[in-house]
Amino acid sequence: EGTDAVGIDLGLKVIATLSTGRVIEHPRWYCNMEQRIAVAQRARKKKAVKRMRAKASAQRRDFLHKESTRIVREHGAVFIGNVKPSAVAKTGMSKSSLDAGWAMFKQQLEYKAIARGVLFAEVNEAWTTQTCSRCGSVEGPKGVAGLGIRRWTCGCGAEHDRDVNAARNIARVGLGALAEGASA
């Protein structure tokens, strides 16, 4: 049973990056089956299409259950960025975000944390990729052009992986809000 706090940064290439540095890879259930589904659709095999989509959904659900259970068991507090899966689903990244199952993952984390007595909170993830998790200065890559920069170095000398840094900042923001609430 864990007692430390963990921050979680959701992503498209990987499902999530934890503040511990652990990365939850994205198995791409639907994308891997997409070709077979398209062939079945052209052949008008509705039952086969339905079966393949159900299989991808079951694989996603099972994987996310295992990962969310592991996170809740290992940590005493879980903080996750407040990204809106429904908003991302309306963009050009919809297929990847829906295949990752962000909404399902967040929901599972929340109810499992409540059941185990683990603190769960969504925190504002604004500036988390640009803020140094060591010194707090906002020096990271900015704007759309900065999205391609995955590693950067702060003026204080700290080297950051963009996603791990964001997850650490999410954990820091969550713990800060928790401390503010306790003192108020």
Side-chain angles (χ1 to χ4, degrees):
E1 183 112 356
T3 56
D4 61 329
V6 66
I8 301 173
D9 180 48
L10 297 174
L12 294 172
K13 291 188 180 193
V14 296
I15 290 178
T17 304
L18 279 56
S19 56
T20 59
R22 189 169 148 250
V23 173
I24 301 173
E25 293 295 332
H26 190 337
R28 305 202 184 287
W29 305 276
Y30 184 78
C31 290
N32 291 338
M33 222 175 265
E34 204 169 18
Q35 227 31 59
R36 290 175 41 210
I37 290 173
V39 169
Q41 283 175 327
R42 285 191 296 273
R44 300 193 194 304
K45 296 182 178 180
K46 290 182 180 181
K47 286 183 181 176
V49 171
K50 189 174 181 179
R51 189 172 51 251
M52 285 186 268
R53 285 188 174 150
K55 180 179 179 179
S57 177
Q59 289 173 327
R60 178 183 309 110
R61 191 177 325 104
D62 179 61
F63 180 82
L64 294 177
H65 267 301
K66 289 174 181 172
E67 290 298 332
S68 59
T69 299
R70 181 177 173 184
I71 290 169
V72 170
R73 277 192 184 142
E74 292 176 355
H75 303 283
V78 177
F79 300 106
I80 193 164
N82 65 345
V83 66
K84 297 273 184 259
S86 58
V88 177
K90 293 175 185 171
T91 68
M93 300 173 283
S94 62
K95 221 182 257 190
S96 294
S97 68
L98 292 170
D99 199 19
W102 287 352
M104 185 185 302
F105 188 53
K106 286 170 81 170
Q107 183 182 29
Q108 289 176 2
L109 281 169
E110 184 173 13
Y111 80 73
K112 289 176 185 185
I114 291 168
R116 290 185 69 91
V118 171
L119 177 68
F120 175 86
E122 278 192 55
V123 299
N124 185 358
E125 67 173 10
W127 308 104
T128 55
T129 57
Q130 299 171 16
T131 304
C132 174
S133 57
R134 190 159 97 186
C135 72
S137 66
V138 182
E139 297 185 21
K142 295 170 179 57
V144 176
L147 290 174
I149 300 170
R150 305 312 299 166
R151 299 192 67 75
W152 59 278
T153 305
C154 178
C156 71
E159 290 188 23
H160 297 292
D161 172 271
R162 181 185 183 93
D163 299 327
V164 173
N165 180 59
R168 287 181 180 151
N169 282 325
I170 288 169
R172 182 183 49 78
V173 169
L175 288 170
L178 185 63
E180 259 180 41
S183 64

